Amino acid sequence: MSRSVLPLLVTLSPALLFLLLPRGSVTQQELWKDYKYGRHGAELLPRNCSWRCMVFTLQWPGGFCQSLYKETQCTIPENISSWTIHGLWPLHAQSCCTCWPIFASDLQEVEEELKEFWPSLLKTKPYFHFWKEEWLKHGSCAACVEGFNSPLKYFQICLKLRHQFDLYKMLADAGITPSCDRLYKVAELQQVLLPHVGDRHEIQCVKDQQDRQVLFQVKVQLTQNLTVGCSHHGDGGLGPGLQPSLGHPCPPDAPLYYLPINHQEPWRPCG
């Protein structure tokens, strides 16, 4: 049933709704529960997921702002001082079920944590709008796996993964910290991250206005059960076309900047 019809149906009287519904169909109360909580949508999702691998993507706010065409659209809230979630994306699957909406009340339990670890970094995109996009585009595809089969579960798992992959601490423990002057090689980062994120990961950069390579994102490949490193046939890489991105793999030989966060002027991390 299309999203445009559902709001109309739930406002009809029980008697009229009963006449309109096909024989053997759900009651008005059940229909409303399906619309609000996604139960009917869950039944419409494929029972066997066509995807086998997922990509968990973390972004560095100081690099994100360099990725924008209009850098002044970037905003980094004062409470943000570490890597933030960009998304958890099943490979080769997008927008699987528009019949499963998401409401702000669905995320009330984890809202404050999401604001800290999964904020919107765009002035033009409110937090919930960002989360809603991620659920409809990616979460609805993940929802065919039991552990992801509600908006709350999907976002809770993403937050757990963010705590598991604390990139700032991993890098800082190895002496790799944000700097306006110090340069790094991608091999240095790979050596540090490999024991934690496996060998099926990608470190991404963007170019800033000075044509310098700037650290932007880290993509970690996971199985459906969240095991690090997924090698299912057909999902074997993180190359072009699998997940459109503003970033690109950091060149192996070019030095890169791990720029600090500037909350006042995030598009000018070094003044």
Side-chain angles (χ1 to χ4, degrees), residues 99-152:
C99 57
W100 196 333
I102 182 174
F103 300 87
S105 58
D106 294 329
L107 304 181
Q108 187 174 359
E109 181 180 330
V110 292
E111 182 178 359
E112 291 307 311
E113 197 173 1
L114 286 173
K115 287 180 178 179
E116 180 178 357
F117 297 107
W118 201 338
S120 170
L121 301 178
L122 289 174
K123 292 179 181 178
T124 55
K125 186 173 291 185
Y127 282 13
F128 180 70
H129 183 72
F130 179 31
W131 303 331
K132 180 180 179 180
E133 282 184 348
E134 290 297 308
W135 165 255
L136 294 177
K137 189 174 182 180
H138 305 291
S140 64
C141 298
C144 61
V145 175
E146 184 175 353
F148 295 97
N149 61 356
S150 76
L152 179 59

Side-chain angles (χ1 to χ4, degrees), residues 56 140 142 151 188 203:
F56 183 59
S140 64
E188 295 179 70
I203 299 174

Side-chain angles (χ1 to χ4, degrees), residues 21-250:
L21 288 172
R23 182 176 297 179
S25 186
V26 295
T27 65
Q28 182 189 27
Q29 183 179 10
E30 289 171 332
L31 183 64
W32 169 245
K33 286 181 179 178
D34 289 343
Y35 176 66
K36 186 175 189 300
Y37 299 109
R39 293 169 188 168
H40 192 60
E43 294 174 1
L44 297 178
L45 288 166
R47 288 297 180 185
N48 296 317
C49 295
S50 60
W51 56 272
R52 292 293 178 268
C53 301
M54 313 179 78
V55 174
F56 183 59
T57 304
L58 291 163
Q59 60 190 2
W60 175 244
F64 171 81
C65 294
Q66 307 304 308
S67 74
L68 303 177
Y69 294 112
K70 293 183 178 179
E71 292 177 333
T72 54
Q73 291 299 313
C74 187
T75 179
I76 304 178
E78 290 290 337
N79 66 316
I80 304 302
S81 59
S82 189
W83 291 71
T84 63
I85 300 169
H86 189 172
L88 178 63
W89 309 323
L91 287 178
H92 308 301
Q94 290 188 5
S95 305
C96 296
C97 184
T98 56
C99 57
W100 196 333
I102 182 174
F103 300 87
S105 58
D106 294 329
L107 304 181
Q108 187 174 359
E109 181 180 330
V110 292
E111 182 178 359
E112 291 307 311
E113 197 173 1
L114 286 173
K115 287 180 178 179
E116 180 178 357
F117 297 107
W118 201 338
S120 170
L121 301 178
L122 289 174
K123 292 179 181 178
T124 55
K125 186 173 291 185
Y127 282 13
F128 180 70
H129 183 72
F130 179 31
W131 303 331
K132 180 180 179 180
E133 282 184 348
E134 290 297 308
W135 165 255
L136 294 177
K137 189 174 182 180
H138 305 291
S140 64
C141 298
C144 61
V145 175
E146 184 175 353
F148 295 97
N149 61 356
S150 76
L152 179 59
K153 288 181 181 179
Y154 173 74
F155 284 95
Q156 283 176 326
I157 287 175
C158 290
L159 288 169
K160 288 179 180 178
L161 289 172
R162 168 57 184 81
H163 294 303
Q164 177 181 344
F165 301 116
D166 188 347
L167 300 187
Y168 189 93
K169 185 178 187 305
M170 293 175 191
L171 294 172
D173 287 348
I176 299 175
T177 56
S179 171
C180 289
D181 305 311
R182 185 175 174 184
L183 291 170
Y184 300 99
K185 289 288 187 71
V186 66
E188 295 179 70
L189 279 67
Q190 289 173 332
Q191 184 177 5
V192 173
L193 297 180
L194 189 96
H196 305 282
V197 302
D199 59 357
R200 305 186 69 81
H201 70 275
E202 183 174 282
I203 299 174
Q204 290 195 330
C205 288
V206 293
K207 282 191 174 182
D208 66 3
Q209 292 184 345
Q210 301 179 48
D211 206 37
R212 302 178 301 182
Q213 297 289 343
V214 174
L215 182 60
F216 170 39
Q217 289 189 150
V218 173
K219 295 184 173 182
V220 183
Q221 198 157 332
L222 305 170
T223 64
Q224 284 188 5
N225 64 2
L226 304 179
T227 302
V228 170
C230 184
S231 57
H232 184 266
H233 181 69
D235 287 337
L238 302 179
L242 295 181
Q243 175 58 48
S245 173
L246 296 171
H248 57 263
C250 296

